[in-house]
Amino acid sequence: MSVQERKERERADRERLILATARELAEQQGWDAVTTRRLAERIEYSQPVLYSHFRGKREIIGAVALEGAAEMAAELRVAARAADGPRDRAAALARAYLGFAERNPAVYDAMFRLDGGLPFAREDTPEPLKDAFAALLENLGPVAGETVAPELFTEVFWAALHGLATLTRAGRLPPLEADRRLRLLVDRLTRP
């Protein structure tokens, strides 16, 4: 291995460590606890080293959001493959989406609530974000109906899931009704 290859590998390892530490800290104490100073202390590198990877917290949030989008896309696809038929896939996607949001609240916040400097719904949207949407679209298109564009249907379905995830987490919706809400969403939006 050349010196350059070793340096690139070490840089990539440091970057993974920074992101893993940021995620861990955010999941434990919230994003307000994630500061460059605390990250530098936890990973045992100086702040200038951290800044050589990310210009600040906003870029770290963006990088965590991209990781989360890739993870979510993979989970959505696994859930969809395990289901039979378009409506069952829609229900499986909804459960997987809500489960991801519940298990990874800080990552979910980085993806959809916090400013990570990432463009959405534009030509320059990063590939992991496009792929997460595609994981929904490729499975929801068949239940959109003939009079609704699959992209529009997917946006509405996603917005409903986001609302359920956000309101449930905030304690605005009683958790005991979560399954009924999910069934209602899928039944009403995926009518044959």
Side-chain angles (χ1 to χ4, degrees):
M1 173 182 308
S2 73
V3 172
Q4 181 64 27
E5 288 172 330
R6 183 181 51 78
K7 285 183 180 184
E8 288 173 12
R9 188 186 73 218
E10 289 171 355
R11 180 173 176 74
D13 288 346
R14 266 193 318 272
E15 191 165 301
R16 279 191 293 276
L17 177 62
I18 292 166
L19 293 178
T21 304
R23 285 177 71 157
E24 179 183 319
L25 189 56
E27 292 293 356
Q28 290 171 352
Q29 300 176 32
W31 279 102
D32 287 342
V34 179
T35 64
T36 54
R37 177 176 295 187
R38 284 183 100 179
L39 285 175
E41 288 172 5
R42 284 208 174 187
I43 64 172
E44 298 178 347
Y45 283 101
S46 67
Q47 281 184 285
V49 169
L50 195 137
Y51 282 116
S52 74
H53 291 272
F54 301 99
R55 287 189 299 243
K57 183 174 176 176
R58 183 177 187 219
E59 278 192 8
I60 292 169
I61 290 169
V64 168
L66 294 177
E67 282 184 351
E71 292 166 11
M72 178 184 275
E75 287 188 28
L76 293 174
R77 287 190 173 101
V78 166
R81 279 194 300 272
D84 292 324
R87 288 188 67 167
D88 285 345
R89 275 193 294 281
L93 284 174
R95 280 191 297 279
Y97 183 99
L98 295 172
F100 180 89
E102 184 180 346
R103 286 187 314 279
N104 305 284
V107 173
Y108 191 83
D109 284 349
M111 292 168 64
F112 301 119
R113 195 180 67 80
L114 301 174
D115 178 12
L118 303 173
F120 280 81
R122 296 187 347 205
E123 195 69 29
D124 59 340
T125 298
E127 201 54 44
L129 299 178
K130 288 180 183 179
D131 190 50
F133 184 78
L136 291 169
L137 176 62
E138 63 202 28
N139 291 291
L140 292 174
V143 294
E146 294 183 19
T147 60
V148 179
E151 293 83 3
L152 180 63
F153 179 82
T154 300
E155 289 171 350
V156 171
F157 199 89
W158 173 30
L161 290 175
H162 177 70
L164 289 173
T166 304
L167 292 170
T168 300
R169 183 167 151 212
R172 304 294 195 272
L173 298 175
L176 294 176
E177 297 293 331
D179 288 338
R180 287 184 57 201
R181 272 187 223 99
L182 185 87
R183 280 195 307 276
L184 178 63
L185 171 68
V186 172
D187 289 346
R188 295 300 168 108
L189 287 181
T190 64
R191 287 185 175 172

